[in-house]
Amino acid sequence: MGSPSGKIAIYPGTFDPLTNGHASLIQRGSQIFDHIVVAVANDTPKEPLFTIDERVQMAEAALKGTDNITVEPFSGLLVDYAERRGAGVILRGLRAVSDFEYEFQLALMNRKMKRHIQTVFLMTDYKWLYISSTIIKAAASLGGDIKGLVPDNVYRRLREKYGYPYPLNE
Ligand code: COA
């Protein structure tokens, strides 16, 4: 077990798939913390479109090039994983007031289980306030234009998944 440190932050989520909103928050987090571990949840009540391997691989490809960001799958309790990883901080993003209740509950429950692990919130950039993985998938599944809302590799994978070939010049 690593010793908890405030310098490593875990950014957990389902990332089904990673969006530009997530990517922006991770990049900003990487300027605050020494290291960001993007932790892709294996156990999730949501029924993911992409497998755990696909979600990790897509996030890795989208985030490559920044030395202090790594992407890993995780199973079990988030706070146990954070402790094993030697992280003292769980990083979460807040988009709107509607996120607050769930995030507050999650942060307090995690704090109840491991008091030494702090949850830190960053505001999502205003450009990404309205997007979520679910709304991106809803639009993409019907052929809607989601270019610019997700990283290019995610865009291609969504088009493939839903059977909409992308033009060769994209
Ligand atoms: N920009 C755009 N969208 C964002 C965003 C941002 N900055 N931040 C979050 N979102 C969206 C996501 O796309 C996601 O959309 P979706 O619901 O349509 O899929 C939604 O907000 C929330 O997702 P995310 O931030 O990925 O969190 P999550 O709710 O999927 O993940 C875990 C929750 C994995 C962190 C939580 O379930 C967990 O810790 N699980 C492990 C078990 C555990 O310890 N549970 C807690 C016990 S109390």
Side-chain angles (χ1 to χ4, degrees), residues 28-167:
R28 286 162 56 213
S30 74
Q31 290 163 20
I32 299 171
F33 297 99
D34 289 344
H35 200 97
I36 302 280
V37 179
V38 178
V40 184
N42 197 7
D43 306 322
T44 165
K46 301 174 185 178
E47 266 188 43
L49 174 68
F50 292 101
T51 65
I52 181 73
D53 290 344
E54 287 175 317
R55 286 180 279 134
V56 168
Q57 186 272 324
M58 280 190 290
E60 253 167 5
L63 298 166
K64 75 169 186 285
T66 310
D67 285 348
N68 64 339
I69 299 172
T70 50
V71 182
E72 294 176 3
F74 84 100
S75 301
L77 273 181
L78 175 62
V79 285
D80 289 342
Y81 170 73
E83 199 168 59
R84 283 200 302 278
R85 217 44 197 76
V89 170
I90 294 169
L91 177 65
R92 295 286 289 170
L94 281 178
R95 285 165 302 173
V97 179
S98 51
D99 282 345
F100 183 80
E101 201 173 317
Y102 170 66
E103 292 298 336
F104 192 59
Q105 202 178 13
L106 194 65
L108 287 180
M109 190 64 186
N110 285 333
R111 184 163 163 72
K112 167 80 184 144
M113 293 185 286
K114 302 272 180 198
R115 281 193 75 77
H116 58 278
I117 296 178
Q118 305 292 346
T119 300
V120 171
F121 294 101
L122 282 183
M123 288 304 297
T124 296
D125 193 294
Y126 72 94
K127 282 186 286 192
W128 316 116
L129 279 181
Y130 65 98
I131 62 167
S132 69
S133 299
T134 299
I135 204 161
I136 295 281
K137 285 180 283 187
S141 70
L142 299 170
D145 187 9
I146 50 147
K147 200 163 174 56
L149 300 179
V150 290
D152 288 346
N153 67 312
V154 173
Y155 175 74
R156 286 193 295 273
R157 294 296 290 275
L158 279 168
R159 299 286 298 244
E160 284 161 14
K161 199 79 165 181
Y162 289 121
Y164 291 98
Y166 45 93

